[in-house]
Amino acid sequence: MKDKKVGALGARMWSSVILFGLIGQIAWVVENMYFSRFMQNEITRAPYATTLMVAFSAVFATLSTLIGGALCDRRGKRKIFVSLGYVIWGFTIMMFALVPMNPSADKVLPMVILVVVMDCVMSIIGSISNDAAFNTWITDISNTANRARVDTVLAVMPLFALAVVFGGFDSMTNADATTSDWKRFFVCLGLITTVGGLVGLVLMKDKEGIKPNKENSFLSDFIYSLKPSVIKENKMLYWCLCGFMVSSIAYQVYVNYLFNIVEGTMKITNYIIPIGIIMLVSAVSSVVVSNLMDKYGKKHFYYPVITIGVAGSLIIWASKFFIAKNQTALMALLIIGGIMSIGVNLVMAGLFTASYRDYIPKGKEGLFQGCRMVMYVLVPMIIGPLVSQFIINIANRGVTDDKDIVYPMELFLGATAVMLLCFIPAKIVRDKQSDFHKKLMEEIEK
């Protein structure tokens, strides 16, 4: 019975983790990648439209997570927010099938506003159900003996979600496809999300003993995790968030340009093979490493993991010297460096996110989901692209035509420089890890 309490979750719990983790990421793939593609291909290619959509979506997602986290704790429930949230989330995706496409010039701006508003609605529902409620539930059902494994499994879900969407539905969005293809795309992906929510009503189960927490006002709960006094009282929790925030900023420096770099700058036309190898090996190796972290303790992995991430980015950058000279060496360096870089980004979740969950005070699990969104999503998606733009502008000084812009390999040097900063929060978290881990293990073994 002790083993069950310490680390084993059971088939039902793991099924819920994987089901909602995967389907949630499938929905986010649609939002993060295909809504912008839909805007550019079917509404307008003007960059202001995509910029508005991304910016407003990020803001509303963060605010919604703060609200959703507070609601979860005040109600003492997670399952209902997750399951019904996914059902509604799927319908918000399907609603995009009703958007008129290829509008006339005088209808473009109204259509842009409509799509931005619909994207914000989708982000609000998704953030409450997934980022707030589901992540609160994950904190509830996991403990320090298995959190590295659980969070790393969740971290690889975006890769599997990409494989599902690209492999099964991407052809519906081809430029030469008929209008009905986009409609079927949104309906199919929305149905997957909605059906997942319905299954969750039967499969998912809240942890026993969770009680409503209404000690403070809703406004106080809403801003709870952003209060200076709360930050001061839970310093280690925020240092954990800082660690993954820095790692996410480094990732954002190059990831938005990765496919263009591989295909355009590196001149690798058949990029599906190396990217596929990188994603598969990264996912498998990160799960293996996460099991080792749970077995031997996270303390021993901070420095090696960060070092591997730094080396990976440098290896990809070094491949620039083989472009148009040695295709075999170029591909080998891309794959090796890519596995190291992408794999480390996944393992970072098992390190810092699992540690962050360890430090969340009991009864406050939902209240700390908002600050996670601020530091994991909002900040990296602002700073990372700004660093990218700075590097790209320097590399393309003198270029007057946007069509001639080249995405430089130096983006990986930028990622390396940011990643080095990860050693600061890693040292602080690592120094406190052993004693705190021992304390938590003693508590859950009682």
Side-chain angles (χ1 to χ4, degrees), residues 68-140:
L71 287 174
C72 283
D73 280 348
R74 293 180 70 81
R75 298 292 181 183
K77 298 182 183 298
R78 296 30 165 144
K79 172 183 174 177
I80 195 68
F81 287 102
V82 177
S83 298
L84 288 185
Y86 272 52
V87 172
I88 301 171
W89 198 9
F91 279 108
T92 65
I93 295 173
M94 287 187 271
M95 290 297 291
F96 274 80
L98 302 177
V99 176
M101 288 175 262
N102 301 310
S104 57
D106 62 319
K107 299 282 181 64
V108 168
L109 183 57
M111 285 300 101
V112 168
I113 295 173
L114 175 64
V115 173
V116 169
V117 170
M118 290 177 66
D119 183 31
C120 289
V121 172
M122 188 269 196
S123 296
I124 289 170
I125 303 300
S127 295
I128 291 174
S129 59
N130 181 268
D131 291 317
F134 177 63
N135 273 285
T136 301
W137 180 82
I138 289 292
T139 303
D140 291 339

Side-chain angles (χ1 to χ4, degrees), residues 254-271:
Y254 66 83
V255 71
N256 296 306
Y257 302 95
L258 184 59
F259 285 97
N260 283 325
I261 290 174
V262 173
E263 187 177 24
T265 307
M266 301 179 78
K267 310 297 183 186
I268 299 176
T269 54
N270 190 13
Y271 60 85

Side-chain angles (χ1 to χ4, degrees), residues 328-350:
T328 301
L330 181 67
M331 290 277 276
L333 290 175
L334 172 62
I335 292 173
I336 294 170
I339 290 171
M340 294 168 71
S341 298
I342 302 296
V344 161
N345 185 69
L346 299 177
V347 172
M348 282 293 188

Side-chain angles (χ1 to χ4, degrees), residues 348-365:
M348 282 293 188
L351 279 174
F352 287 110
T353 305
S355 298
Y356 140 78
R357 293 190 200 279
D358 286 345
Y359 283 103
I360 295 178
K362 291 188 184 301
K364 305 289 186 181
E365 290 83 2

Side-chain angles (χ1 to χ4, degrees), residues 188-384:
C188 289
L189 273 300
L191 278 173
I192 289 175
T193 309
T194 293
V195 171
L198 292 173
V199 173
L201 288 171
V202 178
L203 178 65
M204 196 177 207
K205 184 180 180 182
D206 276 338
K207 183 180 178 181
E208 295 180 3
I210 299 176
K211 298 179 180 179
N213 186 346
K214 298 182 180 180
E215 295 177 0
N216 302 308
S217 67
F218 181 81
L219 178 60
S220 178
D221 285 346
F222 176 74
I223 63 173
Y224 180 82
S225 65
L226 304 178
K227 293 179 180 178
S229 59
V230 173
I231 296 174
K232 185 177 180 180
E233 291 171 7
N234 299 275
K235 287 185 289 187
M236 291 307 302
L237 184 153
Y238 290 89
W239 275 116
C240 294
L241 290 176
C242 282
F244 193 64
M245 180 186 73
V246 174
S247 174
S248 296
I249 292 172
Y251 183 67
Q252 286 292 327
V253 170
Y254 66 83
V255 71
N256 296 306
Y257 302 95
L258 184 59
F259 285 97
N260 283 325
I261 290 174
V262 173
E263 187 177 24
T265 307
M266 301 179 78
K267 310 297 183 186
I268 299 176
T269 54
N270 190 13
Y271 60 85
I272 297 299
I273 294 176
I275 295 297
I277 294 173
I278 290 171
M279 297 301 183
L280 178 61
V281 177
S282 297
V284 173
S285 60
S286 64
V287 173
V288 172
V289 173
S290 72
N291 278 286
L292 295 175
M293 288 192 290
D294 279 337
K295 183 176 181 179
Y296 297 105
K298 294 183 282 291
K299 174 181 178 180
H300 307 290
F301 290 84
Y302 287 99
Y303 295 163
V305 167
I306 296 172
T307 302
I308 291 171
V310 169
S313 295
L314 286 175
I315 288 172
I316 299 177
W317 169 77
S319 69
K320 67 178 287 186
F321 299 107
F322 296 93
I323 295 176
K325 296 177 182 178
N326 189 325
Q327 187 76 357
T328 301
L330 181 67
M331 290 277 276
L333 290 175
L334 172 62
I335 292 173
I336 294 170
I339 290 171
M340 294 168 71
S341 298
I342 302 296
V344 161
N345 185 69
L346 299 177
V347 172
M348 282 293 188
L351 279 174
F352 287 110
T353 305
S355 298
Y356 140 78
R357 293 190 200 279
D358 286 345
Y359 283 103
I360 295 178
K362 291 188 184 301
K364 305 289 186 181
E365 290 83 2
L367 300 183
F368 281 97
Q369 300 308 317
C371 62
R372 182 184 60 84
M373 280 291 288
V374 170
M375 299 178 75
Y376 279 19
V377 177
L378 197 60
V379 174
M381 290 181 69
I382 292 174
I383 297 179

